[in-house]
Amino acid sequence: HGTKVLLRTHTTPVQIRIMEKQKPPVRAIMPGRVYRNEAVSPRSLVLFHQVDGIYVDKGVTFSELKGTLVSFARQYYGSGIKYRFRPSFFPFVEPGAEMDIHCYICGGKGCRVCKYSGWLEIVGSGMVHPHILKRVGYDPDEGSGFAFGFGVERPFMLKYDIDDIRLLYENDVRFLKQF
């Protein structure tokens, strides 16, 4: 109809809407379908599903964020999973970090799924930026929070040793019956 439409690229904006309507403590999970201008490859498509999470209250720390993400990784992938955190930039958090897990498709030796690095990024995260807290009417001197976001398909691929994300969308009944 002559109007331009931008398909949602993140579920992250939902965090702001929740904080605008609710005073701390805030604990929320926001799932949704998102779209990106990506080259189709074994590890990425133009469509995927994302889950964002946010926790804001008095005294929330980066250690709590790390503990939450490590707990998730151990429960989902197994207690022996190797992981690391790397500093990373995301506009709504400071500091920001990405969590990687050891690629157990290739055992860390390098494969096309992990781009031959031996590691796979599973979640972007960080402490909610004080400017964001101010924007929604929270006092950053009174409280803090953390946020994270991850795609659903990649953890599923890792858990079930699937080396090509496209298999999840091909509707091949022989493949899908495994799950």
Side-chain angles (χ1 to χ4, degrees):
H1 303 299
T3 60
K4 292 185 178 185
V5 175
L6 175 64
L7 299 174
R8 177 172 56 187
T9 59
H10 292 278
T11 52
T12 306
V14 179
Q15 296 175 15
I16 298 294
R17 292 186 187 109
I18 289 171
M19 289 190 294
E20 287 175 333
K21 294 177 182 174
Q22 180 180 334
K23 294 299 175 200
V26 174
R27 292 177 185 90
I29 297 290
M30 290 88 32
R33 184 180 300 164
V34 296
Y35 303 86
R36 303 265 176 88
N37 184 13
E38 299 267 346
V40 174
S41 73
R43 59 181 278 141
S44 55
L45 291 173
V46 296
L47 155 77
F48 65 97
H49 298 83
Q50 185 173 356
V51 175
D52 266 51
I54 189 165
Y55 171 41
V56 179
D57 204 351
K58 292 181 179 179
V60 176
T61 67
F62 195 81
S63 293
E64 288 176 286
L65 167 61
K66 287 179 71 176
T68 299
L69 297 178
V70 169
S71 177
F72 165 77
R74 286 182 175 156
Q75 289 177 54
Y76 191 78
Y77 297 110
S79 59
I81 192 72
K82 294 178 184 175
Y83 62 88
R84 69 182 184 186
F85 284 85
R86 292 179 292 110
S88 191
F89 172 78
F90 301 103
F92 306 110
V93 296
E94 180 58 40
E98 289 181 283
M99 181 182 184
D100 301 331
I101 63 167
H102 199 243
C103 182
Y104 59 84
I105 289 174
C106 66
K109 295 177 182 149
C111 65
R112 67 184 184 154
V113 174
C114 66
K115 295 183 180 178
Y116 303 97
S117 71
W119 293 94
L120 286 162
E121 179 263 319
I122 61 165
V123 61
S125 64
M127 297 302 290
V128 178
H129 199 293
H131 294 309
I132 300 296
L133 296 174
K134 287 179 187 175
R135 165 66 177 82
V136 297
Y138 295 3
D139 183 349
D141 294 327
E142 293 285 318
S144 56
F146 66 70
F148 59 84
F150 63 91
V152 173
E153 287 83 352
R154 190 169 297 156
F156 184 81
M157 289 172 60
L158 292 171
K159 184 168 181 128
Y160 293 103
D161 294 330
I162 300 167
D163 67 356
D164 194 323
I165 193 171
R166 296 170 287 197
L167 292 170
L168 301 176
Y169 291 91
E170 290 179 348
N171 294 321
D172 183 334
V173 175
R174 294 167 298 175
F175 173 76
L176 297 173
K177 278 186 175 180
Q178 303 175 69
F179 313 105

